[in-house]
Amino acid sequence: GDSVTQMEGPVTLSEEAFLTINCTYTATGYPSLFWYVQYPGEGLQLLLKATKADDKGSNKGFEATYRKETTSFHLEKGSVQVSDSAVYFCALNNNTDKLIFGTGTRLQVFP
Amino acid sequence: DARVTQTPRHKVTEMGQEVTMRCQPILGHNTVFWYRQTMMQGLELLAYFRNRAPLDDSGMPKDRFSAEMPDATLATLKIQPSEPRDSAVYFCASGLGTITGELFFGEGSRLTVL
């Protein structure tokens, strides 16, 4: 069945460092891909999405490109801030009601 | 600003007590999901509804958990009797199904069973 695999965390960075969180997926057809972020004590919220191959989703300085050839949707940010510390979830929807989530990657950014 | 509303935000109860969590989905959304999040298990799907009909509750312990949607503006998750292992954060999410694929989450109900 469909699945999402994320890199293990935590990812620990200094402020202004470059961030990459890897996400790969297994799915038939052409799923939509999402990144959700969960700040401490809050629910998950949509960070960005891409609905077809080669689309780039972007928001708040974060970017991810839908790569069909490598079945990947890696999250990147050029310069992280302490306020970006959160758990990041990669997810896919393959034309159903449900989102299939990865296990989440915790990001810790230190000043 | 449309949002999913969950109550209570925090609940502390004793083992054996009944617990009911409530969720008001975003108006117009036709799918509603209940998730449970713990440090050990991560995010688990418990149950979901489309147009108020339960479609999948395979993730839910049937003997003590029940989920219902008495109307389009209210979804409930009930635990009876509660046990310490039910301590977790319970999230409700709603969406438009395959139209957009994305879900909107509430802020969660943190349950502690002593």
Side-chain angles (χ1 to χ4, degrees), chain A residues 16-89:
Chain A
E16 299 183 2
F18 184 85
L19 168 71
T20 300
I21 299 178
N22 290 337
C23 170
T24 57
Y25 67 91
T26 300
T28 57
Y30 299 90
S32 295
L33 301 175
F34 304 84
W35 277 101
Y36 278 77
V37 59
Q38 184 180 26
Y39 298 104
E42 299 184 10
L44 281 71
Q45 54 187 276
L46 180 66
L47 179 60
L48 53 84
K49 68 179 182 181
T51 58
K52 60 183 187 294
D54 299 324
D55 266 2
K56 178 185 285 188
S58 61
N59 186 24
K60 299 182 181 179
F62 290 88
E63 293 183 339
T65 301
Y66 188 161
R67 302 285 189 200
K68 182 72 174 173
E69 63 276 14
T70 54
T71 62
S72 65
F73 193 53
H74 303 322
L75 182 68
E76 297 182 336
K77 187 175 185 182
S79 176
V80 292
Q81 305 299 311
V82 173
S83 57
D84 294 325
S85 298
V87 180
Y88 292 82
F89 292 88

